Amino acid sequence: MANETFDLVVIGAGPGGYVAAIRAAQLGMKVAVVEKNATLGGTCLNVGCIPSKALLQSSHLFEETGHDLAAHGIVVGAPTLDFAQMMKRKAEVVGATTKGIEFLFKKNKITWLQGMGRIDAAGKVSVVGPDGAVKDTATARNILIAAGSEVTPLPGVAIDEKKIVSSTGALELAQVPKRLVVVGAGIIGLELGSVWRRLGSDVTVVEFLDRITPGVDDEVTKFLQRALTKQGLKFKLGSKVTKAETSDAGVTLTVEPAKGGAAETLQADIVLVSIGRRPYVAGLGLDKAGVKLTERGRIAVDAHFQTSVPGIYAIGDVIDGPMLAHKASEDGIACVETLAGQKGHVNWDLVPSVVYTQPEVAWVGKTEEQLKAAGVAYKVGKYPFTADPRSRANGATEGFVKVLSDKATDRVLGVHIFGAEAGTMIGEAGIAMEFAASAEDIGRVCHAHPTVNEALKEAALAAWEKPIHL
């Protein structure tokens, strides 16, 4: 291909880019996708969401086999970890998923241009190889930037992906570390910390703030930390890592109180740096093309995802909003539908979030802290899984559902779930809130019995008036 013309050229084949490309092709556009990696799917499918969930599932089963089956009358000896097989399964899950996207590209006649995408001007994209040479060029009526994000570096702690690793390296460890220090108590750090703790690591989490999971409802956060501590994770909150020294023996971290004080050292075999992610905008040619950034370093876009340059659009992690794969996908669909003359829209206020620890945490909408700060009068309805028959039968009674509703209108403003199937349950709450449901609406919907979703019904009834089973 030499300077072929397309209706749309997408830069990046992650959950935002590849979904946008498929939807654009469905709408009749001639589409090309520029992707620098050897496989499609971006960070999420290759070194993020999918492999981490595969290891979370495997490690959960290992933990369950060793500790929880006897209560069900299933007596087995201590399980033996076949680490190589566990990692092999993870790779197979990733491979099957990325190959599925390749199939969808072929099915929808999407051209894949392998290399780094660089915008030379409106309507002009170069495909750059690892050596910096231009491999190909493409002309496009519209360009969509879906380049995603990268790990935020930590000053004084150089990631080598051997002893000091990012989330990518933490998914490819050659063996279970005896001592793991996780820097950052956000979602990624807690999920990967949970994986290696279940498999036998002594895990310490160092967090700059005085709490874990920033942005999560305070009450839920307290219960999550209590559960993870009970499982064996250790927390050093209000602390910052200022230096890391590697040796044959491992890593020595210097840790200081965030508010000042005496330093101490921590010894680790592996250190996972997980303090967040930043938009991937380097090398895209944004300056040359005239694409403006926000003060936070993200690409500035209007309500229809158009940048400061007509014909150049951006979605997902490179723009404002939560850095989540499913948000990026919805951005992409809305953007290309708008290009096709339809009415694309994404409600960022109702993008659900999930922490895939055990128990899980999931939420959509506002937290109590946000409602208080905004001066909104609200009601709280809570229902514990200890009162839910299916949860009791499953042996998974830790946690609760919390529904926040407007005191005057009963409209649901936020739903927060801490429990074994929270990530699955939150979908119902999102749908209800998208259609402006009241707590009474959810409470009056007939839910199948016995299911864990009945806990959401009961929490909604509690917010509206009174639960039946509490």
Side-chain angles (χ1 to χ4, degrees), residues 63 194 197-198 226-233 358-359 398:
E63 173 96 349
S194 293
R197 201 285 310 161
R198 295 171 191 166
R226 185 184 305 170
L228 294 177
T229 300
K230 185 178 179 181
Q231 292 170 19
L233 272 72
Q358 192 61 252
E398 187 171 15

Side-chain angles (χ1 to χ4, degrees), residues 406-467:
D406 188 283
K407 193 169 185 178
T409 67
D410 196 39
R411 180 172 178 171
V412 177
L413 304 175
V415 174
H416 305 267
I417 307 174
F418 174 55
E421 299 184 35
T424 300
M425 293 175 64
I426 203 64
E428 178 187 346
I431 292 173
M433 293 175 67
E434 193 66 63
F435 285 91
S438 65
E440 181 185 0
D441 288 333
I442 297 176
R444 287 192 180 277
V445 170
C446 184
H447 288 62
H449 175 77
T451 61
V452 293
N453 289 66
E454 288 180 285
L456 175 57
K457 173 188 174 76
E458 293 282 352
L461 287 173
W464 169 57
E465 194 173 71
K466 290 183 179 179

Side-chain angles (χ1 to χ4, degrees), residues 210-415:
D210 60 1
R211 55 163 294 165
I212 68 172
T213 54
V216 178
D217 184 272
D218 280 357
E219 182 181 19
V220 174
T221 291
K222 291 173 183 176
F223 277 88
L224 174 62
Q225 184 177 343
R226 185 184 305 170
L228 294 177
T229 300
K230 185 178 179 181
Q231 292 170 19
L233 272 72
K234 303 170 186 175
F235 292 93
K236 292 186 70 65
L237 304 181
S239 302
K240 61 182 178 181
V241 175
T242 58
K243 186 169 64 173
E245 297 177 315
T246 59
S247 65
D248 292 341
V251 184
T252 300
L253 291 178
T254 301
V255 181
E256 301 176 5
K259 296 179 180 179
E264 63 175 312
T265 58
L266 291 178
Q267 303 296 324
D269 299 296
I270 298 291
V271 172
L272 165 60
V273 177
S274 182
I275 61 171
R277 298 184 66 83
R278 63 184 182 183
Y280 190 95
V281 295
L284 296 177
L286 302 184
D287 288 343
K288 185 177 179 180
V291 175
K292 295 180 180 179
L293 301 181
T294 68
E295 293 181 356
R296 299 178 60 199
R298 300 193 186 190
I299 297 174
V301 295
D302 64 15
H304 301 296
F305 303 97
Q306 183 167 265
T307 70
S308 55
V309 179
I312 301 180
Y313 299 80
I315 61 168
D317 288 2
V318 296
I319 68 172
D320 283 341
M323 285 183 165
L324 295 169
H326 42 284
K327 178 264 190 184
S329 295
E330 297 304 321
D331 282 356
I333 290 172
C335 180
V336 299
E337 287 182 345
T338 300
L339 290 177
Q342 299 183 8
K343 303 292 184 182
H345 174 69
V346 182
N347 184 354
W348 288 351
D349 290 333
L350 293 183
V351 174
S353 296
V354 184
V355 186
Y356 294 94
T357 50
Q358 192 61 252
E360 295 178 349
V361 174
W363 70 98
V364 63
K366 303 298 184 182
T367 65
E368 282 203 66
E369 293 69 45
Q370 289 170 329
L371 294 177
K372 289 175 182 176
V376 176
Y378 65 94
K379 296 185 295 182
V380 181
K382 288 196 293 186
Y383 193 79
F385 286 112
T386 52
D388 175 63
R390 183 59 188 271
S391 297
R392 197 177 299 122
N394 290 346
T397 57
E398 187 171 15
F400 57 90
V401 179
K402 178 160 72 170
V403 173
L404 307 175
S405 62
D406 188 283
K407 193 169 185 178
T409 67
D410 196 39
R411 180 172 178 171
V412 177
L413 304 175
V415 174

Side-chain angles (χ1 to χ4, degrees), residues 10-317:
V10 181
I11 299 177
Y18 88 74
V19 168
I22 292 171
R23 184 61 182 137
Q26 291 174 342
L27 293 168
M29 298 182 200
K30 182 180 179 182
V31 183
V33 175
V34 185
E35 169 56 51
K36 65 180 184 295
N37 294 320
T39 53
L40 301 172
T43 296
C44 178
L45 273 65
N46 288 279
V47 292
C49 322
I50 302 306
S52 66
K53 301 312 167 285
L55 287 182
L56 278 162
Q57 178 66 10
S58 296
S59 63
H60 172 61
L61 291 174
F62 181 75
E63 173 96 349
E64 189 175 45
T65 301
H67 299 89
D68 301 327
L69 295 184
H72 295 270
I74 303 171
V75 181
V76 296
T80 301
L81 176 63
D82 185 341
F83 185 70
Q85 172 58 31
M86 185 176 290
M87 299 300 278
K88 178 174 179 287
R89 176 186 178 274
K90 183 238 347 173
E92 290 171 347
V93 171
V94 171
T97 307
T98 57
K99 285 182 175 63
I101 300 174
E102 287 187 40
F103 167 77
L104 291 172
F105 269 35
K106 292 176 181 177
K107 176 184 176 182
N108 289 282
K109 298 180 174 57
I110 297 168
T111 301
W112 173 15
L113 305 174
Q114 189 172 347
M116 177 72 183
R118 187 186 70 203
I119 302 172
D120 296 325
K124 299 291 183 181
V125 176
S126 289
V127 182
V128 182
D131 58 358
V134 175
K135 299 170 57 179
D136 220 328
T137 58
T139 300
R141 289 177 55 200
N142 295 291
I143 297 170
L144 176 57
I145 303 169
S149 59
E150 61 183 350
V151 172
T152 300
L154 178 63
V157 184
I159 294 174
D160 59 16
E161 298 297 11
K162 294 178 181 178
K163 287 185 170 64
I164 302 178
V165 301
S166 67
S167 55
T168 299
L171 293 166
E172 296 293 342
L173 297 182
Q175 60 187 10
V176 179
K178 291 182 179 178
R179 299 165 300 176
L180 172 69
V181 172
V182 179
V183 184
I187 294 175
I188 296 173
L190 294 183
E191 288 181 358
L192 293 177
S194 293
V195 166
W196 297 110
R197 201 285 310 161
R198 295 171 191 166
L199 299 180
S201 294
D202 183 338
V203 179
T204 300
V205 181
V206 180
E207 169 57 46
F208 183 83
L209 301 176
D210 60 1
R211 55 163 294 165
I212 68 172
T213 54
V216 178
D217 184 272
D218 280 357
E219 182 181 19
V220 174
T221 291
K222 291 173 183 176
F223 277 88
L224 174 62
Q225 184 177 343
R226 185 184 305 170
L228 294 177
T229 300
K230 185 178 179 181
Q231 292 170 19
L233 272 72
K234 303 170 186 175
F235 292 93
K236 292 186 70 65
L237 304 181
S239 302
K240 61 182 178 181
V241 175
T242 58
K243 186 169 64 173
E245 297 177 315
T246 59
S247 65
D248 292 341
V251 184
T252 300
L253 291 178
T254 301
V255 181
E256 301 176 5
K259 296 179 180 179
E264 63 175 312
T265 58
L266 291 178
Q267 303 296 324
D269 299 296
I270 298 291
V271 172
L272 165 60
V273 177
S274 182
I275 61 171
R277 298 184 66 83
R278 63 184 182 183
Y280 190 95
V281 295
L284 296 177
L286 302 184
D287 288 343
K288 185 177 179 180
V291 175
K292 295 180 180 179
L293 301 181
T294 68
E295 293 181 356
R296 299 178 60 199
R298 300 193 186 190
I299 297 174
V301 295
D302 64 15
H304 301 296
F305 303 97
Q306 183 167 265
T307 70
S308 55
V309 179
I312 301 180
Y313 299 80
I315 61 168
D317 288 2

